Amino acid sequence: MESHKTKKGKQVDSFQQDAMDQFDQLKKQQQNGEISLNDDDIFEKVLGTEKNGYLRAYGPGKNINEYFGGRPTKVQLIKQLESTRRESNERVEEVKREAKEQIEEMKKETDNKLEELSKRWEKKFQMMIEAQLMKK
């Protein structure tokens, strides 16, 4: 609202002045609870519905495509979808490979621990046999 006023605080033209007066009046009614419109609804009621492809408050002749780019075509969307699908499949394969590597590493660690325990038990068993033989 401030951007449409002169340095002295007055509206630039009568249309803007009327629109601002209507907006202020509806805003006061909203604050008093007389109407249940939100700010966007009040804005639309005062200035009318937006035109398709027109970007309000960005100056004359500006459209949505200039600020946000055009809508993608079906071909572009399909290419994006395929690219995303390909990237996700590659990521899944990478995660699978990493998981297999971790599993193999855990298997090796488990085998090493089992071998170590087996050697310990073998030594203990050998010591028991030697003790039995010495008693005889």
Side-chain angles (χ1 to χ4, degrees):
M1 290 189 209
E2 295 299 319
S3 66
H4 292 282
K5 293 181 181 179
T6 62
K7 290 181 181 179
K8 295 180 182 179
K10 294 185 179 184
Q11 298 299 325
V12 175
D13 60 24
S14 62
F15 172 76
Q16 289 179 359
Q17 184 64 46
D18 291 340
M20 296 303 286
D21 290 343
Q22 287 178 2
F23 188 83
D24 289 338
Q25 182 182 8
L26 290 171
K27 189 70 174 165
K28 286 177 186 174
Q29 289 177 358
Q30 176 196 36
Q31 291 170 349
N32 292 335
E34 297 172 18
I35 59 173
S36 62
L37 298 174
N38 62 27
D39 289 345
D40 292 335
D41 292 336
I42 292 173
F43 193 76
E44 187 174 318
K45 190 170 186 171
V46 171
L47 296 177
T49 57
E50 289 191 33
K51 298 173 186 163
N52 191 19
Y54 177 75
L55 194 58
R56 190 176 274 164
Y58 280 87
K62 303 295 182 192
N63 63 32
I64 292 172
N65 292 338
E66 290 178 22
Y67 286 94
F68 303 110
R71 291 183 180 169
T73 63
K74 285 184 180 181
V75 172
Q76 290 172 331
L77 290 173
I78 290 171
K79 285 181 181 179
Q80 285 178 347
L81 178 65
E82 288 173 356
S83 173
T84 303
R85 188 176 291 148
R86 190 177 329 106
E87 289 172 6
S88 63
N89 287 340
E90 289 172 359
R91 180 67 182 136
V92 166
E93 291 301 319
E94 182 181 330
V95 168
K96 282 182 181 179
R97 183 182 48 76
E98 290 173 0
K100 284 181 182 179
E101 289 174 1
Q102 288 177 351
I103 290 171
E104 288 298 320
E105 187 177 318
M106 291 172 73
K107 281 182 181 179
K108 286 180 183 178
E109 288 177 14
T110 304
D111 289 344
N112 289 340
K113 287 181 181 180
L114 282 173
E115 188 177 330
E116 184 181 321
L117 287 173
S118 177
K119 286 180 183 179
R120 282 186 191 172
W121 279 106
E122 194 175 306
K123 284 182 183 179
K124 285 183 182 182
F125 188 68
Q126 188 68 29
M127 287 172 48
M128 287 174 53
I129 292 175
E130 288 175 3
Q132 285 291 331
L133 289 174
M134 291 184 107
K135 282 184 183 178
K136 291 186 180 181

